[in-house]
Amino acid sequence: MPSLSTGALQKATRKAIVSLFNDNSTLQNQFFTDQALSIILSEKCGVDIDADTVAKAFAAGGESRYSLQLKDMSIGHEGESVLFVYKAHRLLGGPYITAIGWFDSVKAAEAINPFVGKSIADCAIIDKKVKEVLGKQLKKDHEKKAKDKSTNKRPPSPSSEKPPSKKPSAATVAAAVEQEQTSNEQPADVDQTAAPTPESSANAPVPAAAIATATPELLGNCVREERDEGVSIEEAGEMERAENEEDASNQRADNERKEYTKNCRDVTIGKDTVHNVPYSLDVVQKNYLSSLRKKAKMIDNLMELFKEGRGKTVFQSRYLRFLSAVSLQNSGGSDNGTVTLIAATALVLIRSIGITESEISTESIANGCPGESTIAEYEYHVAAHLVMMQCRRINLSGVKYLTMTTDGGQRKGCEHMVKVFHFGVTDKDGNPTIGHLALDVDTCGKSSAEIAAAIKKSVAPIKSLLRPDIKINGLTGDSGGGGAVQHIHPKLIELGVMDKNSKYLRCIMHALSKPFENACKSAFGEQGLGKCTVFQLAYSAITLFRKLNEQGGLELVDKYSSKLLEVLNNSEGWEAEGTEMFPQAMNAYKAKIDDDDHDTIKEFTKDLRNLQLPVMTRWKTVPKALEFLVDNWVPTYFMSVVIIQKEGSKSALYQIACDIVSLMTLRPAPVEAASNADANGSAPSSAPSSEDGNIDTAAAAAAAPTLQKGDTPILLSQAFFLVAFSKYYFTPWFDSGMQPDPQFGSDSHGHNSRLFVQQTFLMREELDEMMGDNKWKEMPEFRHYIASLAGLPSLGDVKKGGLEFMNKATDTFFREYNTSFIKHIENVWTSTMILPYIIGGHPELAHEFIRWLRASDDGDLAADNFAWSTKEIEIENQKSYGESHECRIDACMICLTKNADPGVILEDSFIAEIKDSLFESLESEEVVNFLDRSRWQQADEYDPVRKRICEVVAPHASQQQRIECLVQEINAMARTNVKEARRTVRVVIFVTLNHPYNRESVDKKREERSTMKEKLKVKRVNGTERITGYFNHVEGVLAEAEKAVEEAGEQKYKDIFDHYRKSDNKTSAVEREKKVQGFEAATEKPRNITKNQRRGDIFIPIAVGGGIALSYFAKKRKNESVVREEIAFREIKLDNVQLRLNEPPLETMELDKMKVLLQQDEAARLARNDMVREEGTSWMKINSVDPLSQAMKDEVTNYLAFRNANKN
């Protein structure tokens, strides 16, 4: 007999059961075991099928197209009839069986379900039910047979119907039932031909559905009963022939089965073995099949995303927000480049997994990926989500106060006003830290009123998301310009933006820079074209190397430098020139060469990286440039020498190099009497002594015995002094102000307000120590400067630029620095408004401050009954990490309280609301540290004070470093033509999403390092580690943001989204409308003609006699006097001194020098009038001037005659 596949077996079973059950009503709506089914199928299908095969086939019922799997059963429909297959289950102590039944309807099948779910205690129930059904069936068959005999019906002939097959005997059926009940064979937990075997559990309860209530054995019994009653010989013969044919058929089937098994194998997976598996088939475990289905579903989803003809991206919103957020890692790139990279990545992945162009085309990938407008739109969504998340954090934190930092900056024609909220929160470990929320960077006007109105407009939508009891209690900003913090603060109070008791701070970075800037300018002059100052020298030196870098990159600069130092280290001529020009610098350079610990080439080329132009208004750039100049004086000089020899005279590099060489060799001309030291090398008698506070030149000469008067270039000496002051005092204190607060984590940089009150005293104390009795001259940091003075001649007059000038200049420097320090630092941080911040500082100082307040409150100050403690304390890590300062409390507090009014402080709500807790702390046996709860006697004893420090003092920014960084990021955005609105949302994303990850990832990486030196080397995380961490961070933050949006509701989200998205919400739109209204009003005003509207001369170009080329002026033409009159008429200044006709230095000035002054002034005049010459705007490229003085105008005629003569 032919074998049947699983599908064919199920189909055959279905047909057999339908025909059998429909003809026997008593068999309907019942269940049959697989053992019984094997008998039915063997009889009806002409195939020998054992019970195991049936069980496996019907366990896979869900895989057949003739049935529908529902949990643990399969149902196939035939009209209203239902084929019900129940998966294999184990009887109590018995075999696994498969139950099957045929029902009139789905309803009937469902109705029997309660019966199916019942458990049976004894397999004997099976026999009972079989007997009951058997009795009914036998009776029915007898009645039918009697009826057939009465109507003379005969059995069907072989030609019209297949002869009935040989029926098994009753013993056979009984044995089959017994085998079904007692077999312990476990079904293989595998799926043959992608069809899993029945799932089961050995200890599972026995469902009644697993019990056969009838079996085809009954049919066999019916036949045998009929034969026993007696049949005719003809009928018996027919039956015999049918049995013989059936035996022959069974034999053929057996042979075919043996032939079939030749091409089969047994497959074992785990503990299960599947027999007779064709080699063309594989056996897989059920869980593996589920995995394959899941993967196939993924591919289907991928195909759906990039379905042909879809035409737009179908990425989920959460992933579009993710893409928009991470795309800002390339914020300096274009939107077109961003979306191209996204699509390219998708294409590479799709092609890499084997999906071809015919399956997903490149066009479909391009359509399926987000475009430029989608990425841009979702930037607004990301920003809105993040703002709502931060507002939710603020609300949940319970803080009552916010502080704000603002700063303006112009980029790409947009005057931006950056606004950021700061607030006290706790990190994941419960430690206090600072949170930040960028409001926007919207454009606004420059007046204090316009800026205040713009801030109000920016704050309003954010405050609508916050608790109504939250107040803005602090402001930090610049102290100059229309947006000066002291000007906009009162206006913000008037507008109701800030609390009436709020405080403001001037940025300490600007405040620390201002004393240095003022002292430098007052003592040594300003930077500028044509100015012979050390600052112009530093600017020119940095410019030279930057321009070399522009020509060929750092590779060219490195090659130039390597060749230069190679020649310098081996050239006796260069060594002799350097020793003559600047022996002190040359000796230091040679000592460095001879030191095996120094690699001069490597150190020099390293210093050339990231050079910044020295500008006083750019923090620390001037000290860094001066330090570079001092460390590389010799290489810089000879690099300039080589550039002069290499470049042509019209080259910009040539002009810069010439300026450098001339400035580096500039020295005062010694008079004969003062230029020579005596035979013993002592200082001249006219040299000032140390008694009047000036330099003892004999001591200086002893420190540098090789220096002779006139050996030291004056600008080198100035550079030595400024670098020494910067290294010892300015730079360490400046860096300290830029560091984070150690109590509030690494994201608190710029928030040193609680510590800066005490730092003010430490800076004051150290400055006084330097200035007192000129002790700075004895400090090792100033040794190079002191040594350089031995090479300066004493000329008797400071105007001659000798030793007297340097002594006067250094005195002026300290005097001006001290004056500016008092104005910009001391008076601010010791004021009545800011002094109370000291409660967050050193516990001992906070304790004394509170004692002072209580003394005032009790009247002891007025009665002069109060005395400061004379205890000495150590303040750690204030100037630099690991360094401590000792100070007496009384000296510190006298300095800090000298400008403050304790009565006003006590009335300030900042102190008044926590006064009881403050005064209570004085009763403690030991000094209370308000930030260290572990040492309080009670857990919440001083919580009001602690909250005031964490919510008001610490978040109040002491400087604007964070805002300055945002201004630089806006600059990068502006280069891609991103407009105002998108610049705002990008800043929001940077502050809330990107900056925290950068900080957290570095902190985590540093924790892996053991020493502080190794920790500080970690600047950022790179590669796979960064990408993985950043993606996880973004997904986590966006998930939290989505939760915040859900809680706030759709309307609030729409409001905040529209605030950022719609251009008519911008301050610039409001101001623009006001300007339009003003313009319209101006059109209606009466005309007023002034003389300024009717003045001006016709501009006459040089070619037609309007100007004079500077090359025309020469000594041989004897026209220097014309140049002098033009300079005097233009009121040109030299070193802040106006040049006058017939007075020195103009009276004796060289012609070339006068030409340079005219070039510089003409360039400045053109710039003021927004005029551009075709030769360019650089003063070095100005080759002609427009005559302004009458003498110069009169000279035009002579000039034209000269020019025409040369042409002819």
Side-chain angles (χ1 to χ4, degrees):
M1 292 184 187
S3 61
L4 297 178
S5 66
T6 301
L9 176 61
Q10 292 177 351
K11 185 175 181 181
T13 303
R14 180 172 173 276
K15 287 183 177 181
I17 294 174
V18 168
S19 62
L20 175 65
F21 290 4
N22 283 344
D23 292 340
N24 298 274
S25 59
T26 57
L27 301 181
Q28 294 184 21
N29 299 328
Q30 300 295 332
F31 293 99
F32 289 81
T33 66
D34 44 336
Q35 183 70 40
L37 288 175
S38 67
I39 299 173
I40 296 173
L41 293 175
S42 297
E43 178 179 314
K44 288 292 183 180
C45 302
V47 179
D48 286 338
I49 304 296
D50 56 80
D52 185 55
T53 303
V54 174
K56 292 177 181 178
F58 283 99
E63 298 299 314
S64 170
R65 64 188 181 93
Y66 297 102
S67 60
L68 174 66
Q69 180 127 351
L70 295 176
K71 294 184 180 178
D72 56 351
M73 64 182 179
S74 298
I75 298 177
H77 293 268
E78 175 74 19
E80 284 299 315
S81 299
V82 180
L83 174 64
F84 182 101
V85 179
Y86 204 92
K87 287 188 176 180
H89 288 274
R90 187 177 186 181
L91 298 176
L92 288 174
Y96 284 90
I97 61 173
T98 300
I100 188 168
W102 186 252
F103 296 88
D104 296 334
S105 65
V106 176
K107 186 175 182 181
E110 292 175 346
I112 204 167
N113 243 358
F115 169 76
V116 172
K118 292 180 181 179
S119 299
I120 59 174
D122 195 341
C123 292
I125 297 177
I126 298 177
D127 297 331
K128 180 179 179 182
K129 289 187 176 294
V130 168
K131 290 177 180 179
E132 290 176 356
V133 176
L134 176 62
K136 293 178 182 179
Q137 184 64 34
L138 288 176
K139 183 177 180 181
K140 178 181 176 182
D141 289 344
H142 279 298
E143 291 173 352
K144 183 179 179 181
K145 181 169 181 163
K147 185 178 180 179
D148 290 341
K149 286 182 177 180
S150 64
T151 56
N152 294 321
K153 281 189 176 180
R154 299 185 62 79
S157 64
S159 60
S160 61
E161 184 176 286
K162 177 181 176 180
S165 58
K166 184 178 180 181
K167 302 299 185 293
S169 64
T172 303
V173 174
V177 173
E178 180 68 20
Q179 179 184 352
E180 184 71 314
Q181 293 176 347
T182 58
S183 173
N184 290 321
E185 181 182 352
Q186 305 292 319
D189 187 20
V190 295
D191 185 348
Q192 184 173 347
T193 64
T197 60
E199 294 178 345
S200 60
S201 173
N203 298 319
V206 183
I211 302 170
T213 59
T215 161
E217 179 184 6
L218 303 177
L219 301 178
N221 290 338
C222 291
V223 173
R224 286 190 292 276
E225 290 284 347
E226 187 176 7
R227 291 182 64 182
D228 291 343
E229 291 176 0
V231 294
S232 65
I233 297 176
E234 291 82 1
E235 289 176 340
E238 281 297 323
M239 294 176 64
E240 187 69 24
R241 283 192 296 271
E243 290 177 358
N244 293 336
E245 288 180 3
E246 184 176 358
D247 291 340
S249 176
N250 290 340
Q251 184 63 42
R252 288 193 301 270
D254 185 56
N255 294 336
E256 289 175 357
R257 185 164 54 250
K258 290 180 180 179
E259 184 66 24
Y260 169 79
T261 56
K262 291 181 179 179
N263 297 318
C264 297
R265 70 196 189 281
D266 293 343
V267 177
T268 300
I269 298 181
K271 297 180 180 180
D272 300 315
T273 300
V274 182
H275 302 284
N276 300 330
V277 179
Y279 287 108
S280 59
L281 301 178
D282 285 327
V283 179
V284 296
Q285 289 180 313
K286 189 173 183 179
N287 59 351
Y288 179 67
L289 182 64
S290 299
S291 174
L292 292 179
R293 287 176 182 151
K294 184 177 180 180
K295 292 177 181 178
K297 182 63 176 176
M298 292 178 187
I299 297 298
D300 290 341
N301 292 340
L302 179 63
M303 301 292 286
E304 182 64 25
L305 280 177
F306 297 100
K307 186 177 180 180
E308 192 73 30
R310 182 175 295 279
K312 63 178 181 179
T313 181
V314 292
F315 290 175
Q316 296 178 22
S317 296
R318 58 179 296 197
Y319 296 120
L320 288 173
R321 289 195 294 271
F322 177 85
L323 276 177
S324 293
V326 300
S327 294
L328 294 186
Q329 293 290 303
N330 184 36
S331 60
S334 66
D335 289 345
N336 181 273
T338 297
V339 299
T340 301
L341 285 174
I342 293 172
T345 304
L347 184 141
V348 169
L349 289 174
I350 289 170
R351 295 290 181 259
S352 296
I353 64 175
I355 298 178
T356 63
E357 173 75 17
S358 61
E359 293 169 316
I360 297 181
S361 66
T362 302
E363 182 180 0
S364 296
I365 295 173
N367 288 333
C369 290
E372 297 172 39
S373 60
T374 301
I375 289 293
E377 185 72 10
Y378 271 86
E379 285 181 11
Y380 295 102
H381 284 291
V382 173
H385 274 70
L386 294 177
V387 166
M388 298 191 79
M389 179 193 73
Q390 288 293 74
C391 290
R392 176 177 179 268
R393 288 179 177 177
I394 294 172
N395 291 332
L396 293 177
S397 69
V399 299
K400 295 181 179 180
Y401 302 101
L402 303 176
T403 65
M404 180 167 54
T405 306
T406 65
D407 191 20
Q410 188 179 57
R411 294 294 182 274
K412 282 291 213 179
C414 290
E415 187 70 32
H416 294 284
M417 175 56 64
V418 184
K419 315 167 197 77
V420 178
F421 276 161
H422 314 287
F423 50 93
V425 290
T426 55
D427 61 19
K428 60 184 179 181
D429 298 321
N431 300 315
T433 186
I434 311 296
H436 312 281
L437 169 59
L439 277 65
D440 59 47
V441 296
D442 287 352
T443 302
C444 67
K446 295 184 178 181
S447 69
S448 58
E450 289 173 323
I451 292 174
I455 292 174
K456 179 180 180 180
K457 188 171 183 62
S458 300
V459 167
I462 307 301
K463 289 195 73 174
S464 68
L465 298 173
L466 299 174
R467 299 194 322 272
D469 63 327
I470 293 177
K471 301 176 182 179
I472 303 174
N473 212 45
L475 179 67
T476 304
D478 284 340
S479 58
V485 64
Q486 65 269 26
H487 297 152
I488 65 174
H489 179 254
K491 287 182 168 53
L492 290 174
I493 294 177
E494 292 175 10
L495 293 172
V497 176
M498 299 194 70
D499 184 63
K500 64 180 180 179
N501 296 313
S502 59
K503 305 176 186 296
Y504 69 86
L505 283 173
R506 298 175 176 92
C507 171
I508 62 170
M509 297 293 96
H510 291 87
L512 288 170
S513 296
K514 208 63 182 176
F516 185 76
E517 176 185 351
N518 292 341
C520 286
K521 289 180 178 180
S522 297
F524 302 112
E526 296 187 49
Q527 171 187 302
L529 297 173
K531 297 184 183 297
C532 298
T533 65
V534 68
F535 309 113
Q536 183 58 31
L537 171 58
Y539 189 93
S540 297
I542 300 298
T543 301
L544 177 72
F545 289 109
R546 284 167 62 97
K547 285 193 172 294
L548 289 175
N549 186 19
E550 291 172 5
Q551 286 189 350
L554 286 173
E555 184 178 358
L556 177 66
V557 177
D558 289 346
K559 289 186 176 181
Y560 277 8
S561 302
S562 298
K563 185 62 180 177
L564 172 76
L565 297 180
E566 179 186 341
V567 175
L568 180 58
N569 295 346
N570 297 284
S571 173
E572 294 181 0
W574 280 13
E575 181 181 345
E577 182 178 350
T579 302
E580 180 184 358
M581 293 293 101
F582 29 79
Q584 186 178 1
M586 195 66 197
N587 288 340
Y589 178 76
K590 288 191 291 184
K592 188 184 292 186
I593 294 176
D594 296 337
D595 189 346
D596 294 336
D597 294 334
H598 287 280
D599 185 338
T600 53
I601 295 179
K602 184 177 181 179
E603 290 179 8
F604 181 52
T605 54
K606 180 181 179 181
D607 289 343
L608 296 178
R609 267 69 179 163
N610 302 317
L611 291 175
Q612 291 182 292
L613 290 172
V615 179
M616 286 293 182
T617 54
R618 294 178 187 168
W619 301 340
K620 285 177 52 176
T621 56
V622 171
K624 284 184 177 180
L626 291 172
E627 188 174 343
F628 168 82
L629 183 65
V630 167
D631 291 343
N632 301 284
W633 185 277
V634 174
T636 300
Y637 174 84
F638 285 104
M639 178 68 80
S640 302
V641 169
V642 175
I643 294 298
I644 291 172
Q645 295 177 213
K646 175 181 178 295
E647 301 288 334
S649 60
K650 294 184 178 181
S651 164
L653 280 176
Y654 176 89
Q655 295 290 343
I656 295 170
C658 287
D659 286 345
I660 292 172
V661 170
S662 65
L663 291 172
M664 294 184 87
T665 56
L666 183 66
R667 48 178 36 85
V671 296
E672 186 66 25
S675 61
N676 297 316
D678 61 22
N680 297 323
S682 61
S685 58
S686 59
S689 67
S690 60
E691 294 179 358
D692 60 3
N694 291 310
I695 295 299
D696 185 341
T697 52
T706 59
L707 292 181
Q708 301 297 320
K709 297 303 177 182
D711 280 351
T712 301
I714 188 65
L715 299 188
L716 176 59
S717 184
Q718 294 178 14
F720 279 144
F721 172 80
L722 292 170
V723 168
F725 179 82
S726 174
K727 284 186 174 182
Y728 176 75
Y729 185 86
F730 174 73
T731 297
W733 285 119
F734 192 96
D735 289 344
S736 175
M738 297 179 73
Q739 296 305 310
D741 186 322
Q743 287 283 344
F744 286 83
S746 59
D747 202 25
S748 64
H749 62 85
H751 294 265
N752 280 316
S753 297
R754 76 176 186 91
L755 300 175
F756 204 79
V757 176
Q758 64 196 38
Q759 179 170 325
T760 299
F761 167 72
L762 296 177
M763 294 174 68
R764 159 52 58 201
E765 185 179 51
E766 192 167 88
L767 185 61
D768 287 345
E769 184 179 349
M770 290 176 67
M771 295 171 61
D773 296 328
N774 284 329
K775 286 186 178 179
W776 62 271
K777 298 175 182 177
E778 302 170 6
M779 294 178 176
E781 288 81 5
F782 289 88
R783 65 185 182 279
H784 295 302
Y785 167 71
I786 299 300
S788 72
L789 297 178
L792 291 177
S794 180
L795 303 178
D797 187 352
V798 295
K799 294 181 180 180
K800 294 181 180 180
L803 184 61
E804 294 81 3
F805 164 72
M806 283 304 302
N807 289 333
K808 184 70 173 178
T810 53
D811 289 344
T812 301
F813 179 89
F814 279 107
R815 184 184 68 249
E816 291 297 326
Y817 191 96
N818 184 57
T819 301
S820 291
F821 179 86
I822 293 172
K823 177 182 177 181
H824 295 283
I825 299 292
E826 196 168 317
N827 288 347
V828 173
W829 290 91
T830 61
S831 66
T832 299
M833 180 174 64
I834 301 300
L835 179 62
Y837 282 3
I838 198 173
I839 65 172
H842 194 286
E844 293 279 2
L845 299 180
H847 180 84
E848 284 298 291
F849 173 74
I850 298 169
R851 254 194 353 107
W852 178 65
L853 290 181
R854 189 169 70 173
S856 174
D857 199 41
D858 295 343
D860 290 343
L861 286 185
D864 201 20
N865 292 330
F866 177 80
W868 297 106
S869 168
T870 58
K871 181 180 179 180
E872 287 196 356
I873 60 173
E874 282 193 0
I875 300 178
E876 298 180 345
N877 303 326
Q878 193 77 47
K879 184 176 181 181
S880 60
Y881 182 81
E883 182 178 348
S884 63
H885 287 76
E886 289 187 359
C887 73
R888 276 178 47 135
I889 292 178
D890 56 346
C892 177
M893 296 307 296
I894 289 172
C895 173
L896 294 178
T897 59
K898 63 185 177 184
N899 296 322
D901 185 335
V904 176
I905 292 175
L906 284 167
E907 294 176 357
D908 185 353
S909 62
F910 177 85
I911 292 295
E913 293 173 358
I914 59 173
K915 185 175 75 171
D916 292 343
S917 293
L918 290 173
F919 288 178
E920 184 182 343
S921 70
L922 298 177
E923 308 304 324
S924 174
E925 294 181 359
E926 61 180 38
V927 174
V928 176
N929 183 341
F930 295 117
L931 293 177
D932 187 2
R933 279 177 167 165
S934 65
R935 304 188 66 178
W936 297 356
Q937 294 180 356
Q938 299 177 12
D940 57 351
E941 193 171 8
Y942 306 110
D943 265 351
V945 182
R946 186 178 187 276
K947 286 182 178 179
R948 189 55 50 94
I949 296 170
C950 293
E951 293 184 10
V952 179
V953 181
H956 197 171
S958 55
Q959 45 100 336
Q960 297 169 285
Q961 181 186 10
R962 186 183 303 273
I963 309 300
E964 293 289 344
C965 292
L966 293 178
V967 172
Q968 296 303 318
E969 288 176 347
I970 294 171
N971 187 29
M973 299 175 207
R975 289 197 292 268
T976 64
N977 289 321
V978 172
K979 303 304 179 185
E980 177 186 6
R982 286 186 67 193
R983 293 182 196 180
T984 278
V985 296
R986 287 187 171 190
V987 165
V988 171
I989 296 170
F990 285 154
V991 170
T992 314
L993 193 64
N994 292 359
H995 293 174
Y997 171 73
N998 294 338
R999 172 184 53 80
E1000 291 169 7
S1001 61
V1002 169
D1003 288 348
K1004 184 178 179 181
K1005 193 72 175 177
R1006 284 177 174 175
E1007 288 177 1
E1008 301 172 3
R1009 307 295 174 91
S1010 56
T1011 65
M1012 180 56 63
K1013 183 178 180 180
E1014 290 298 316
K1015 290 178 185 291
L1016 294 177
K1017 287 182 179 179
V1018 179
K1019 303 300 181 184
R1020 61 176 293 161
V1021 180
N1022 296 306
T1024 302
E1025 184 179 7
R1026 174 176 175 78
I1027 294 173
T1028 303
Y1030 178 66
F1031 282 7
N1032 292 337
H1033 169 77
V1034 172
E1035 287 185 325
V1037 172
L1038 291 182
E1040 182 185 352
E1042 193 168 357
K1043 182 179 181 181
V1045 171
E1046 290 174 359
E1047 291 180 1
E1050 183 177 349
Q1051 185 56 47
K1052 286 189 175 181
Y1053 177 74
K1054 182 179 183 300
D1055 292 342
I1056 200 71
F1057 177 81
D1058 290 344
H1059 168 68
Y1060 288 113
R1061 183 67 181 87
K1062 293 184 177 180
S1063 58
D1064 55 359
N1065 286 334
K1066 302 299 178 188
T1067 301
S1068 57
V1070 177
E1071 292 182 350
R1072 193 182 306 116
E1073 184 59 29
K1074 287 183 179 179
K1075 290 177 181 178
V1076 171
Q1077 293 173 1
F1079 183 84
E1080 291 176 352
T1083 61
E1084 300 175 1
K1085 287 184 178 180
R1087 188 79 167 86
N1088 182 24
I1089 301 176
T1090 64
K1091 64 178 183 179
N1092 289 334
Q1093 301 174 38
R1094 295 290 187 266
R1095 71 174 185 178
D1097 297 327
I1098 298 174
F1099 175 74
I1100 307 298
I1102 294 175
V1104 293
I1108 300 181
L1110 289 172
S1111 59
Y1112 164 70
F1113 297 100
K1115 289 183 179 180
K1116 63 181 179 180
R1117 299 188 184 91
K1118 298 181 180 180
N1119 50 14
E1120 299 103 313
S1121 60
V1122 177
V1123 178
R1124 288 192 177 90
E1125 289 196 37
E1126 181 72 11
I1127 290 174
F1129 183 84
R1130 289 174 178 248
E1131 297 182 348
I1132 295 175
K1133 292 181 179 180
L1134 181 63
D1135 295 332
N1136 288 328
V1137 177
Q1138 185 174 327
L1139 299 174
R1140 302 182 185 278
L1141 201 61
N1142 301 323
E1143 292 183 10
L1146 181 59
E1147 183 180 13
T1148 59
M1149 189 176 291
E1150 293 291 334
L1151 180 59
D1152 289 341
K1153 180 65 175 177
M1154 290 191 293
K1155 285 183 179 182
V1156 169
L1157 293 177
L1158 277 180
Q1159 282 180 291
Q1160 295 167 354
D1161 187 74
E1162 186 71 2
R1165 187 181 70 85
L1166 293 173
R1168 287 194 301 270
N1169 294 282
D1170 294 327
M1171 299 169 63
V1172 179
R1173 290 268 178 84
E1174 63 180 33
E1175 61 264 30
T1177 57
S1178 171
W1179 71 268
M1180 290 181 288
K1181 295 183 178 180
I1182 298 296
N1183 51 32
S1184 63
V1185 295
D1186 293 336
L1188 301 183
S1189 66
Q1190 190 58 48
M1192 185 68 83
K1193 291 177 180 179
D1194 294 342
E1195 191 67 19
V1196 170
T1197 303
N1198 296 332
Y1199 166 67
L1200 291 176
F1202 161 76
R1203 191 182 65 176
N1204 293 333
N1206 285 343
K1207 286 185 178 180
N1208 296 331

